[in-house]
Amino acid sequence: MNERDITICGHGSGTPSLKNMEWYLSYRYKEMMNNGVRKKLIAVRRLKALDNDYKRQRFHDLYASILGRNTYSQDRRQFVYTPLNGRYYSDCSSSGCATYQRCGAEIPLLNTAGMLGSDLFETVDCGIERGHVVRPELLKVGDALLFAGNEKRREQSYVGHVEYVYEIPQALRSGWESRDGRWYYIEDDEAVRDTWRYIGGRYYCFDGAGRMIAQTWHKDGPLWYFLGADGAMLAGQWLHFDDAWFYLEADGRMATDVFVPDPRGWCYVDADGEWDGRYHETKPIGPGVRIVGEQEH
């Protein structure tokens, strides 16, 4: 997650507007004020009452309704959602606080200094360097971005402007996920289906419903493979299954009609892959003789 992925909302050119977070933070940092302070981001505050995804989505949807509609006015800042003579007004802090109210929060129309100092908010420990957020992945919709203001008489770092996190692209799920006792592998929010995946140095196979295949044989074309109890494909080893012994070659395929070298002798597995139970003391040689790991004679 990067700043450039995040959209923020606040007042611009007299009406609420949307901005790219990275661009806006860079713009503010470059601007100097009469008091010799940069217009930089100084804090990120989160309203404690905006404590779940439903309320954050509500903030987004409500703020969308005032974009391009409300005229900037400090004197009429209470008319954010209730019109005065058919017109709507707000300033940077009242637009957010009035939206918080409509999300169910008990909060007055604070000014920016009040938002910085109010116990109704908590500071988001996302780190700020040179006016930019170090860890933007910690931000949530509705977070208040507070910027330096231009009045020295104000304490608390001269805070004088606020923008809000408006939209953060949802991170797509990826990785293992358990559902009803079965395992799935998620890529871009979708379960992998009817295919193989190389994950963490092992091969896994998934059925048409996306379920990981485990502790059973799986046929892929003319070849058979065995997936172990953890779902990983077995390879280069003997397998005891259903009272019979089978050998799985280095690439995982079940060996058939071939001799397998073993410390106790040479073992033959037939066309069905089953070992015949005998150890041959000498290496088999002759037309049509196949040995695992060697080219045909």
Side-chain angles (χ1 to χ4, degrees), residues 158-186:
Y158 311 125
V159 61
H161 181 65
V162 60
E163 300 274 333
Y164 308 91
V165 176
Y166 178 77
E167 197 166 60
I168 301 175
Q170 183 179 5
L172 297 178
R173 292 178 301 154
S174 181
W176 289 105
E177 185 174 294
S178 178
R179 306 176 192 166
D180 300 323
R182 299 295 297 269
W183 283 98
Y184 300 76
Y185 192 74
I186 310 300

Side-chain angles (χ1 to χ4, degrees), residues 9-21:
C9 56
H11 272 273
S13 301
T15 57
S17 60
L18 301 182
K19 303 110 177 167
N20 176 267
M21 181 176 173

Side-chain angles (χ1 to χ4, degrees), residues 78-92:
Q78 68 269 36
F79 300 103
V80 180
Y81 289 97
T82 302
L84 174 65
N85 297 326
R87 299 189 63 181
Y88 299 86
Y89 302 89
S90 56
D91 61 9
C92 61

Side-chain angles (χ1 to χ4, degrees), residues 35-54:
N35 59 13
V37 176
R38 292 182 183 273
K39 295 182 179 180
K40 64 182 180 179
L41 177 69
I42 59 174
V44 178
R45 299 278 279 167
R46 178 172 296 157
L47 184 67
K48 296 175 183 177
L50 209 68
D51 56 2
N52 59 55
D53 289 339
Y54 171 78

Side-chain angles (χ1 to χ4, degrees), residues 2-295:
N2 297 305
E3 287 180 345
R4 70 178 68 93
D5 300 320
I6 300 173
T7 301
I8 61 176
C9 56
H11 272 273
S13 301
T15 57
S17 60
L18 301 182
K19 303 110 177 167
N20 176 267
M21 181 176 173
E22 182 182 53
W23 170 85
Y24 191 74
L25 296 188
S26 296
Y27 158 73
R28 294 285 304 196
Y29 187 78
K30 292 176 182 177
E31 293 289 311
M32 299 293 293
M33 298 180 292
N34 295 333
N35 59 13
V37 176
R38 292 182 183 273
K39 295 182 179 180
K40 64 182 180 179
L41 177 69
I42 59 174
V44 178
R45 299 278 279 167
R46 178 172 296 157
L47 184 67
K48 296 175 183 177
L50 209 68
D51 56 2
N52 59 55
D53 289 339
Y54 171 78
K55 293 178 183 179
R56 287 186 279 269
Q57 183 62 45
R58 180 82 173 139
F59 179 92
H60 170 279
D61 295 343
L62 285 165
Y63 206 99
S65 70
I66 69 174
L67 292 173
R69 183 189 74 180
N70 289 32
T71 301
Y72 185 88
S73 173
Q74 290 188 339
D75 295 334
R76 300 174 179 179
R77 63 196 302 268
Q78 68 269 36
F79 300 103
V80 180
Y81 289 97
T82 302
L84 174 65
N85 297 326
R87 299 189 63 181
Y88 299 86
Y89 302 89
S90 56
D91 61 9
C92 61
S93 55
S94 68
S95 63
C97 288
T99 304
Y100 291 147
Q101 291 174 351
R102 295 221 160 191
C103 292
E106 295 183 4
I107 180 175
L109 297 183
L110 298 171
N111 60 21
T112 52
M115 295 177 75
L116 182 63
S118 174
D119 290 338
L120 296 174
F121 290 81
E122 59 187 356
T123 297
V124 180
D125 189 20
C126 56
I128 299 173
E129 293 182 2
R130 297 177 63 84
H132 284 273
V133 174
V134 177
R135 300 182 64 191
E137 68 274 9
L138 298 182
L139 302 183
K140 295 182 179 180
V141 170
D143 286 351
L145 310 176
L146 294 164
F147 297 86
N150 201 30
E151 298 180 31
K152 285 190 175 181
R153 69 175 181 271
R154 287 187 178 178
E155 299 178 358
Q156 302 168 332
S157 303
Y158 311 125
V159 61
H161 181 65
V162 60
E163 300 274 333
Y164 308 91
V165 176
Y166 178 77
E167 197 166 60
I168 301 175
Q170 183 179 5
L172 297 178
R173 292 178 301 154
S174 181
W176 289 105
E177 185 174 294
S178 178
R179 306 176 192 166
D180 300 323
R182 299 295 297 269
W183 283 98
Y184 300 76
Y185 192 74
I186 310 300
E187 292 181 349
D188 295 340
D189 259 357
E190 295 289 339
V192 171
R193 300 172 187 271
D194 200 24
T195 191
W196 292 87
R197 279 294 184 273
Y198 187 69
I199 306 168
R202 307 289 298 276
Y203 282 99
Y204 298 83
C205 191
F206 302 86
D207 65 19
R211 297 169 298 198
M212 181 189 75
I213 301 170
Q215 198 58 25
T216 189
W217 290 101
H218 174 69
K219 189 176 184 181
D220 189 340
L223 305 177
W224 285 93
Y225 299 83
F226 193 87
L227 291 310
D230 62 355
M233 182 189 76
L234 304 185
Q237 66 184 79
W238 285 99
L239 168 69
H240 188 239
F241 186 79
D242 283 349
D243 296 324
W245 284 96
F246 303 85
Y247 187 79
L248 304 167
E249 299 194 37
D251 61 2
R253 77 177 91 177
M254 181 185 72
T256 58
D257 190 22
V258 67
F259 284 89
V260 181
D262 186 272
R264 293 160 292 185
W266 298 86
C267 303
Y268 177 73
V269 292
D270 63 21
D272 293 323
E274 293 189 26
W275 174 45
D276 65 6
R278 296 183 297 162
Y279 295 103
H280 299 263
E281 296 182 0
T282 59
K283 182 178 180 179
I285 299 175
V289 172
R290 296 175 56 246
I291 297 177
V292 165
E294 297 183 7
Q295 294 183 352

